[in-house]
């Protein structure tokens, strides 16, 4: 139950909802159970059971009626109305009281349900916010190891499961036991002996239902994992639809999804079979017990061994028939809570996931870039494979530095270390002499702009993609950034200019256009340091020229770190650093490295254009 109570902690301040809910639920229980309890005087009045003599006796003995005995008071007033207004008047009084009780009971039930719904929505909002907030703050390495579909399943589907399974149980925990107690009170008021015998059915029903739902937890775990796999397959299919069709893999993808879909369906069918079995079992037991009560009670009445009137006996049967309803609701809640707790454990595990990269408690902000970036004996490994080995470098302010080398040499890893997307296993990275582990990460990243090989755009307007992450940005500022990025002209040719929606991941634009939008976004940020990772490698010659012009505009008066292979991008760099097998193989200007006749010269010779 630790998981359950921790999930309930998201309902805070729970007393804001719980106190009025309990009050209205109590009133609903009193009114709703009283309606059935009033059947006895109604039937007795209707079928002339009792009469004027009983009424006089009731009036004489009125002082002996306990204040808490609702049934006795109601009998007294019923007989009183018979004396004053006759049986027709008493019948009208009883019917009026029943209608008023039903009306007030339903008002209280409506208000209690409204309060519970507010609590459920409030709890759901806080859980979903906690999950998403924590996911967004996790380190980049977490997303390399986890399937995106699994994360999506936890945020979207499993939070809903928690809402309706776990928080919904609150309603059962409060209301149904109170209803059960209310019915039992009335049953004991009518006949203690008959009630004690009748209660034998409840532990029997509880035992049978517990046996039925015993395996639900393991099935719920399997169902959640299977559903997460389906979401992952769906995400991969939609993201890679072009590759799927290009490699004629449509049937393979369909079969993979269908197989998981069948597996999930089998699990949910087995769960539903067990969950739905609880209701007919309890109902069968209930009807069996009611039949027994009719036989036993009838035997007592026929043989004059009970003082129950016909009206009281019928009211007793009606009350007992309702007794199993809250008991069944409690059983159903416990059968449903298993899936909710399993989903809750998965959600809490995601909330508890801590980012490996966190600011130190005394981290200081950095607001400007004055000198340069220095790497001292920096090493980094993926699992146990070293990618960078004791790298020592200095990137001076205002210079353009190119990182080149064979694939897998550690270029992208080195660049990812600068904004603390990842942490080195050893060594230090200094910005203006300050170790970045002593700086506030947000302020460090605000010094840097990013343009990657993959143009990361969002399903939004061109304006919002350029102004991404910023508020109070004017049209003039966005247009100025777009002009520097050579993007203004093609933007104005679109249907709605800067308000044109570019589709999912910018699919309505060409590769070169998407890249120039990304460059405009970086220009608008106006950072002193630019990190460019293969920004032109995926473009055709014409697009590359336009993007390269935009990059040249972007790099003016900035410190730029470029990962590139094409000579057109790197030959004018102030410093070229060659990384090979995780180490700095050589560094210098383009001409110096050509003359050195090393790794760089070999890479240039493999390109299809002349080195000069």
């Amino acid at each position: 139950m630790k998981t359950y109570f921790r999930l309930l902690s998201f309902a805070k301040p729970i007393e804001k909802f719980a106190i009025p809910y309990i009050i209205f639920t109590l009133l609903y229980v009193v009114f709703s159970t009283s309606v059935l309890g009033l059947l006895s005087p109604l039937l007795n009045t209707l079928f002339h059971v009792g009469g004027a003599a009983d009424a006089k006796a009731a009036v004489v003995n009125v002082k002996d009626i306990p204040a808490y005995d609702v049934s006795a008071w109601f009998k007294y007033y019923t007989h009183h109305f018979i004396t004053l207004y006759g049986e027709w008047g008493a019948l009208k009084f009883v019917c009026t009281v029943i209608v008023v009780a039903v009306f007030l009971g339903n008002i209280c039930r409506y208000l209690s349900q409204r309060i519970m719904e507010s609590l459920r929505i409030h709890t759901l909002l806080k859980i979903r916010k906690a999950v998403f907030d924590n996911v967004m703050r996790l380190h980049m390495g977490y997303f390399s190891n986890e399937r995106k579909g699994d994360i999506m399943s936890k945020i979207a589907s499993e939070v809903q499961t928690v809402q309706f399974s776990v928080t919904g149980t609150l309603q059962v925990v409060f209301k149904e036991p109170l209803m059960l107690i209310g019915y039992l009170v009335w049953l004991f008021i009518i006949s203690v002996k008959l009630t004690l015998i009748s209660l034998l059915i409840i532990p029997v029903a509880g035992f049978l239902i517990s046996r039925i739902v015993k395996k639900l937890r393991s099935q719920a775990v399997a169902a959640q994992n299977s559903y997460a796999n389906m979401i992952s397959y769906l995400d991969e299919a939609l993201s890679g639809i072009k590759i799927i069709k290009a490699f004629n893999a449509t049937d393979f993808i369909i079969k993979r999804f269908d197989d998981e879909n069948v597996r999930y369906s089998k699990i949910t069918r087995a769960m539903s079979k067990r969950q739905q079995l609880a209701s007919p079992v309890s109902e069968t037991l209930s009807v069996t017990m009611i039949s027994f009560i009719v036989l036993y009670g009838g035997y007592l009445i026929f043989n004059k061994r009970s003082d129950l009137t016909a009206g009281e006996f019928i009211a007793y049967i009606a009350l007992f028939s309702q007794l199993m309803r809250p008991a069944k609701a409690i059983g159903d809640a416990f059968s449903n809570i298993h899936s909710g707790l399993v989903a809750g454990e998965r959600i809490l595990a995601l909330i508890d996931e801590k980012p490996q990269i966190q600011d130190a408690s005394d981290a200081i902000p950095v607001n400007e870039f004055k000198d340069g970036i220095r790497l001292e004996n920096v090493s980094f490994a993926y699992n146990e494979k070293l990618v960078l080995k004791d790298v020592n470098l200095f990137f001076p302010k205002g210079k353009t530095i190119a990182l080149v080398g064979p694939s897998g040499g550690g270029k992208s890893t080195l660049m990812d270390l600068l904004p603390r997307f990842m942490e080195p296993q050893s060594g230090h990275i200094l910005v203006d002499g300050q170790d970045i582990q002593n700086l506030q990460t947000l302020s460090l990243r605000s010094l840097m702009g990013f343009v990657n090989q993959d143009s990361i755009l969002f399903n939004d307007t061109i304006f919002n993609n350029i102004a991404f992450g910023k508020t109070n940005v004017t049209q003039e500022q966005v247009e100025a950034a777009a002009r520097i990025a050579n993007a203004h002209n093609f933007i104005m040719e679109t249907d709605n200019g800067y308000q044109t929606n570019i589709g999912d991941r910018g699919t309505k634009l060409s590769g070169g256009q998407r890249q120039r939008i990304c460059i405009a976004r970086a220009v608008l940020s106006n950072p002193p340091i630019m990190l460019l990772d293969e920004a032109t490698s995926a473009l055709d010659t014409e697009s590359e020229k336009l993007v390269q012009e935009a990059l040249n505009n972007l790099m003016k008066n900035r410190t730029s770190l470029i990962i590139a292979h094409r000579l057109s991008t790197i030959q004018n760099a102030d410093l070229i650093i060659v990384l090979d097998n995780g180490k700095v193989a050589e560094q210098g200007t383009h001409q110096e490295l050509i003359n050195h006749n090393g790794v760089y010269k070999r890479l240039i010779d493999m390109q299809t254009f002349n080195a000069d």
Side-chain angles (χ1 to χ4, degrees):
M1 294 302 289
K2 181 180 178 182
T3 300
Y4 181 81
F5 287 113
R6 189 174 168 201
L7 290 169
L8 286 187
S9 68
F10 288 96
K12 292 180 180 178
I14 195 170
E15 63 275 4
K16 173 183 174 183
F17 304 96
I19 293 174
Y21 176 75
I22 292 173
I23 292 172
F24 286 121
T25 300
L26 281 170
L27 291 173
Y28 166 65
V29 170
V30 170
F31 288 125
S32 60
T33 56
S34 297
V35 169
L36 291 175
L38 298 179
L39 281 177
S40 172
L42 173 64
L43 293 170
N44 287 339
T45 302
L46 191 61
F47 295 108
H48 307 286
V49 178
D54 291 333
K56 290 178 181 179
V59 173
V60 171
N61 300 321
V62 65
K63 294 181 180 180
D64 298 329
I65 301 175
Y68 60 84
D69 195 340
V70 178
S71 178
W73 279 106
F74 193 76
K75 288 178 182 179
Y76 163 72
Y77 280 110
T78 302
H79 291 306
H80 182 68
F81 269 76
I82 292 174
T83 303
L84 295 178
Y85 305 107
E87 292 175 341
W88 174 244
L91 184 61
K92 288 191 289 185
F93 164 70
V94 174
C95 290
T96 301
V97 172
I98 290 175
V99 170
V100 171
V102 170
F103 177 73
L104 293 176
N106 279 288
I107 287 178
C108 292
R109 183 175 70 168
Y110 169 74
L111 293 173
S112 67
Q113 288 175 337
R114 283 285 302 272
I115 293 167
M116 182 52 64
E117 186 64 21
S118 297
L119 173 62
R120 188 157 44 231
I121 293 171
H122 170 75
T123 306
L124 176 66
L125 181 148
K126 292 184 70 175
I127 292 175
R128 186 179 285 130
K129 182 180 186 302
V131 175
F132 187 77
D133 287 358
N134 194 60
V135 168
M136 288 295 99
R137 290 187 172 93
L138 290 174
H139 54 285
M140 294 294 292
Y142 176 83
F143 300 97
S144 301
N145 299 324
E146 295 292 324
R147 301 181 74 165
K148 186 167 63 172
D150 191 48
I151 299 173
M152 291 169 61
S153 172
K154 291 176 182 177
I155 296 175
S157 171
E158 294 178 26
V159 170
Q160 293 292 121
T161 303
V162 168
Q163 175 196 17
F164 291 109
S165 295
V166 180
T167 59
T169 308
L170 275 175
Q171 193 166 357
V172 176
V173 169
F174 280 116
K175 187 181 77 173
E176 305 306 338
L178 290 175
M179 292 291 293
L180 199 62
I181 292 170
Y183 287 130
L184 284 172
V185 168
W186 275 103
L187 290 173
F188 275 109
I189 289 174
I190 295 174
S191 175
V192 175
K193 181 179 180 181
L194 202 56
T195 302
L196 289 174
I197 295 173
S198 303
L199 289 181
L200 294 175
I201 190 65
I202 292 180
V204 175
F207 173 76
L208 290 175
I209 292 172
S210 67
R211 297 290 295 176
I212 291 171
V213 302
K214 186 176 181 181
K215 292 185 179 180
L216 280 176
R217 182 175 181 82
S218 59
Q219 290 176 327
V221 172
Q224 296 291 356
N225 291 333
S226 180
Y227 184 80
N229 286 338
M230 278 204 302
I231 295 296
S232 294
Y233 294 158
L234 176 62
D235 174 65
E236 291 169 0
L238 295 178
S239 301
I241 189 67
K242 184 181 289 186
I243 297 298
I244 291 169
K245 292 186 177 297
F247 284 85
N248 291 326
T250 303
D251 291 340
F252 168 78
I253 293 296
I254 289 174
K255 185 179 185 304
R256 185 175 69 164
F257 183 86
D258 286 349
D259 288 346
E260 194 63 48
N261 192 18
V262 169
R263 179 172 176 269
Y264 177 70
S265 299
K266 288 181 179 178
I267 297 171
T268 53
R269 188 179 294 113
M271 288 180 64
S272 298
K273 182 173 66 176
R274 287 185 170 273
Q275 289 173 329
Q276 292 164 4
L277 189 59
S279 180
V281 167
S282 61
E283 189 170 329
T284 301
L285 290 170
S286 176
V287 172
T288 302
M289 196 60 200
I290 290 171
S291 300
F292 171 77
I293 291 170
V294 171
L295 287 173
Y296 182 70
Y299 170 79
L300 294 177
I301 293 173
F302 290 153
N303 292 277
K304 310 297 183 183
R305 295 186 181 182
S306 174
D307 57 353
L308 285 176
T309 65
E312 288 173 335
F313 184 54
I314 294 173
Y316 187 92
I317 295 172
L319 281 164
F320 190 85
S321 68
Q322 295 298 306
L323 180 67
M324 291 305 293
R325 186 178 60 81
K328 187 179 80 170
I330 293 172
D332 290 343
F334 279 106
S335 68
N336 289 331
I337 199 174
H338 289 289
S339 58
L341 288 177
V342 170
E345 288 173 358
R346 287 165 58 86
I347 290 168
L348 291 175
L350 190 53
I351 292 175
D352 291 339
E353 188 73 38
K354 300 299 181 185
Q356 293 179 357
I357 300 172
Q358 300 188 55
D359 287 346
S361 58
D362 57 349
I364 59 175
V366 54
N367 300 316
E368 55 183 340
F369 181 56
K370 300 177 181 178
D371 180 31
I373 301 173
R374 185 178 298 277
L375 281 71
E376 297 180 347
N377 300 316
V378 171
S379 296
F380 181 86
Y382 288 107
N383 297 322
E384 296 181 356
K385 181 183 178 182
L386 272 175
V387 180
L388 295 175
K389 307 170 186 176
D390 296 323
V391 174
N392 291 276
L393 290 170
F394 180 67
F395 308 138
K397 179 183 178 181
K399 301 297 183 179
T400 298
I401 299 98
L403 294 176
V404 300
S407 296
K411 303 183 295 299
S412 295
T413 299
L414 188 151
M415 185 174 285
D416 286 343
L417 292 174
L418 302 184
R420 292 193 76 190
F421 290 153
M422 302 180 295
E423 294 276 50
Q425 267 69 38
S426 62
H428 301 278
I429 301 174
L430 310 175
V431 173
D432 293 340
Q434 291 278 356
D435 194 317
I436 62 173
Q437 295 189 2
N438 299 325
L439 302 177
Q440 292 180 359
T441 304
L442 291 179
S443 65
L444 172 68
R445 291 173 184 170
S446 67
L447 297 178
M448 303 177 184
F450 305 88
V451 180
N452 300 315
Q453 177 180 357
D454 298 325
S455 306
I456 307 299
L457 297 175
F458 300 89
N459 195 343
D460 205 337
T461 63
I462 293 174
F463 181 96
N464 289 338
N465 271 281
I466 295 176
F468 181 72
K470 296 176 176 55
T471 56
N472 302 320
V473 177
T474 65
Q475 180 74 24
E476 290 74 18
Q477 290 173 317
V478 171
E479 287 190 13
R483 290 179 189 278
I484 293 174
N486 283 343
H488 178 73
N489 290 339
F490 86 77
I491 292 173
M492 296 308 297
E493 293 173 358
T494 60
D495 295 338
N496 299 306
Y498 283 86
Q499 298 306 314
T500 299
N501 187 288
I502 60 175
D504 185 40
R505 304 186 184 186
T507 52
K508 295 181 180 179
L509 303 177
S510 68
Q513 290 172 337
R514 289 197 297 270
Q515 198 65 293
R516 281 178 278 166
I517 295 293
C518 291
I519 293 171
R521 183 168 62 197
V523 170
L524 188 63
S525 298
N526 196 28
I529 303 170
M530 284 304 309
L531 305 178
L532 311 175
D533 188 355
E534 297 282 10
T536 62
S537 64
L539 304 178
D540 58 76
T541 303
E542 184 178 357
S543 296
E544 180 190 0
K545 181 180 179 182
L546 292 170
V547 170
Q548 190 59 53
E549 289 176 1
L551 289 174
N552 292 337
N553 293 334
L554 175 64
M555 291 186 292
K556 286 179 181 177
N557 304 317
R558 287 188 175 88
T559 304
S560 301
L561 185 62
I562 308 169
I563 296 177
H565 292 106
R566 297 188 182 183
L567 179 63
S568 58
T569 307
I570 60 177
Q571 65 179 345
N572 296 321
D574 297 304
L575 176 66
I576 300 172
I577 299 170
V578 182
L579 287 176
D580 187 17
N581 199 27
K583 295 182 178 180
V584 178
E586 51 191 4
Q587 56 182 311
T589 64
H590 169 71
Q591 195 58 50
E592 289 172 349
L593 293 177
I594 291 294
N595 296 336
H596 187 264
N597 198 27
V599 177
Y600 181 77
K601 176 69 161 54
R602 188 175 74 250
L603 292 172
I604 294 300
D605 289 342
M606 285 190 293
Q607 296 191 27
T608 58
F609 46 81
N610 295 326
D612 56 348

